[in-house]
Amino acid sequence: MKRHILKFTIEAVFIFLFFSCEKVIEIDLNISEPKIVIESEISNQPGPYTVRLTETVNFREENAFPTLSKATVRIYDDAGNTETLTETITGFYNANAIQGTPGRTYTLEVTTGENTYKAVSTMPPPVNIDTLTVENTGSFGPAGNGETINVQFTDPTGKNNYYRFVLIINGIEQDGVFIDNDELQDGEIKNLLLTNYSENTKLNTGDYVTVLLQTLDKSTYEYFRTLRQISGSEGGPMEQSTSPANPISNINNGALGYFNTCAVTSKSIIIP
Amino acid sequence: MKKRGLFILAIFCLFAFSMYAQTKYTISGYVKDEKTGEELIGATIFIRELQTVGTVTNAYGFYSITTTEGDYTVTAQFIGYEPQSVTIALRKNSKSNFTLNENVNELEEVVVSAERQDENITKIQMGVEKINVKTIEKIPVLFGEKDILKAIQLMPGVKAAGEGNSGFYVRGGAADQNLILLDEATVYNASHLLGFFSVFNSDALKDVTLYKGSQPSEYGGRLSSVLDIKMQEGSNQKFGVEGGIGLISSRLKIDGPIEKDKGSFTISGRRTYADLFLKLSKYSSVNQSKLYFYDLNAKANYHINKKNRILISGYFGRDVLGFEDRIGVDWGNITGTLRWNHLINDKIFANTSVIFSNYDYNIHTDFGSTEGDIISRIQNYNIKQDFQFFKNSKNKYKFGFNSIYHNIIPGVITAETDYSISELDLPHKYAWENAVYISHEYKPDNLLGIEYGIRLSSFSTLGPGEFYSYNSSGETTYITTYGSGEFVKTYLNIEPRLAIKYIINTKSSFKAMYGRNTQNLHLISNSTSGNPTDLWIPSSNNVKPEIADQFSLGYFRNSKNNTYEFSTEIYYKYLQNQIDYKDGAELRFNESVESQLLFGMGRAYGMEFSLRKKYGKLNGWIGYTLARTEKKIDEINNGEYYPSKQDRTHDISIVGIYDLSKKITLSASWVYYTGNAVTFPSGKYEVAGQVVNYYTERNGYRMPAYHRLDLGMTLQRKKTEKFESSWNFSLYNAYGRENAYSITFQEDPSDPLKTQAVQTTLFRWIPSITYNFKF
């Protein structure tokens, strides 16, 4: 969280002092070959779980991403269960039989044409959210009143616990990648502010807020950590990395996207 | 230490003297400014009767000429001063001090360079820029704050790191590859206010020299350049006060004698008050914020006797940034130098320096439940011994050694409340750097000049600590523990340097150079602009010393009685152990930050052209550079050469200063450069509910070209013996060019189906006004 504060400070000084201005410009970006994007999540909650296959498009095109149909998608675990998924809607493949269980290791295999993509991910045990509170962070919060959701949870003893949080306000999943780990602070009570500076996540009295806590394995965490670096949830013009890159995927063979096997818990509050 | 130095010296002299048997005598002394008594650096001394015999004063204003007995007219000259001659009957070793008067008729002798008139052709070193502190007062600048680093960025072969940034790139080198010395002390972060000002208050400066080509052997430690800045000593004749009041900052300088003719002191300070404007804001988040910097330069010197002199100087500067009492960030440099000049005899000048430098930052946050501090620091202690041996008119030797102890605290996080902040103390780093050097300047005749030398440098990473080894995917393979003071890894490097000049005729010369440089402190920074929190790491078991070999050729020509200077240089640099970052590298507060780095090689080559007009009502220069800088790292872009961030194909700067009348000076500067190499997306896709950029290669795109015109005017008020003052007006970015500071890609707010590129521009039309006074 410290990192964010520093970035925000530097940013704020710039905006206030140096009257920067923004405008939309035309840039001639290269045409790229379409690349496969695999999004897949298995949790400890009941299925069916979905694997979504899409492709990249060129920058100038609309945000309508072509789906990949007629692929062979297979998931198996280390307990001997295996399932070939069925395509329900084009590009969406459902797993109906397999059940997510903490401690098991899952393998995803996607074959389209001549290419096969494979990912391995282990589901960690779930961690409960202790409390959800509303904290006022002054001007550091989202636009408006500065109110932000604080999640408190207890990190189990032993390192290598990785967390991802999903913030849902009135049924709408908010943008932003919220993650945490215990590399520096093991086995303690942890607090995390789910502040998203770039989007308006302003809270109002009566809002129904749900937070999901996903426990991830390291490679999936790495994906979300590096996704956050480029997705605008971190920094602004001053803090932009000089070498942005595609997030580090746990899927091989150059596929974009992730295979996330997570244990999920949740808690909700109504904003007073 | 002194004994060892003298021993080396003795061997040296033995060898040197055995070769000569003629009766020769030495004339030596100092060249000073008549008004202030300050020694002049780089003043020329020559013997009229012997056309070939001449020298220049060293960094402490000392000269020494040895020649056969005879009756001579010895002349000292320095640009901007009236030359002075004395006749000497040279039958024994003799002393002769010169005190030069400043040229009164300023109008005809506007100084653009402190060098002698034909220096462009005659000096051996190439790629050297001497910047006159007086000149930069006339160049228009951002916020009217005259700034040495901004002036340097206008020199050919030197490029600004970005809008308003005091970082600079020399011949394709990154900003951390410049050795910035303030009275011999390393300045780790030369920026105030995130780069909009440099830490150098030009009121306090005496001499500024940038070596972008061949660095003389006495310098080492950085790949690209040396920026050697010397502070003023102050007048040992009378007390004086000088200052300036500007929109954003004010400054004041006091100087005077400690004892007339023997010693002097000077203190100068500067403080910005940009945050006063923040108070005008109606938002509490803004009007309760702090944003300022201050700095203090002080120096004193004292001549104990004719042979010994002590100089002590220091710098202290701090930036303070605060936000609503919740966040406070402050950072700054501290340097201190204690020097002892000792004249061993008329021919051998020795200097011993003890130097300290420190850079640190401190962040305090207070969010009620979350209160804590972050600190980080880099420090060094340095002992330096230099000898200059002026053997005779043809031979001059320099030799010495240097020992530096580095101590780095990468980051400590402490919590004042018991939860929410993880306490952390990243392992401290220790290193010991040593170097010995010797160089010989040989001028067999009027036409040929050679300076060659060798520098032997070593760098040792020291314990205590745990040292990690990593595999190619960045995972720790094993850990070795070392005790306090144990040597973890030592790198030895031999750095040969060579510079040759050949004078073709009185108007033109040809020069060539080769030099190797190594660098053992590396700045880890992956953000678009330099940050006060960027981390310096020493070479270690994982990080090898960066090595650069540079070759360069140049042609120099003066015309119209040295009024116009033309030069062109081509250079090629081969670089080893260059650093770049892994995809998604985590560089902040990461114990295993070294696992986030990638190593490879690089090359930089280019051609520089420069045309200067030094005298007359209109003076200034035009510089143009055509260049390329590339890296080659196996893990990036399939191991092909790719452009470095600082690669710029074209770079043009034009500076003009025009004296309209005795009272009014107009100035303008225009810069143009190719945009930096950047990584832009070549496509997009959807993941986790958001549209994400798809990248295909690193640094495959270019920012739009940058160009800007600045205008300035200096209005000299009535000048009397007791008081003088002037007004300075400047307009930054006169035609309001919207230069891209950054480009981001985001969803079109009016159409979520579209994505757009948004350009952020920082400055358009920044006017400023400054009032300067002196009494």
Side-chain angles (χ1 to χ4, degrees), chain B residues 546-572:
Chain B
E546 295 179 70
I547 300 172
D549 289 287
Q550 185 181 176
F551 305 86
S552 161
L553 290 175
Y555 175 73
F556 299 78
R557 189 181 172 87
N558 287 8
S559 57
K560 291 224 168 136
N561 202 13
N562 297 324
T563 304
Y564 291 94
E565 282 184 350
F566 171 76
S567 70
T568 175
E569 296 185 28
I570 54 169
Y571 66 89
Y572 182 89

Side-chain angles (χ1 to χ4, degrees), chain B residues 616-645:
Chain B
K617 279 194 155 191
L618 175 70
N619 57 77
W621 67 86
I622 299 171
Y624 170 67
T625 312
L626 176 68
R628 175 161 289 171
T629 308
E630 294 170 314
K631 282 184 194 172
K632 186 173 185 292
I633 290 171
D634 289 345
E635 294 86 347
I636 297 174
N637 296 355
N638 305 316
E640 312 260 335
Y641 271 109
Y642 67 96
S644 303
K645 172 176 91 170

Side-chain angles (χ1 to χ4, degrees), chain B residues 461-509:
Chain B
T461 306
L462 304 178
E466 289 180 333
F467 290 81
Y468 292 65
S469 298
Y470 305 101
N471 63 15
S472 58
S473 52
E475 285 150 356
T476 309
T477 49
Y478 58 91
I479 301 170
T480 321
T481 308
Y482 291 87
S484 179
E486 266 190 271
F487 286 75
V488 177
K489 182 86 194 174
T490 297
Y491 293 100
L492 259 184
N493 277 294
I494 294 171
E495 305 173 24
R497 316 269 171 93
L498 168 70
I500 302 171
K501 70 136 197 229
Y502 182 75
I503 296 178
I504 302 163
N505 53 42
T506 52
K507 285 184 176 162
S508 59
S509 68

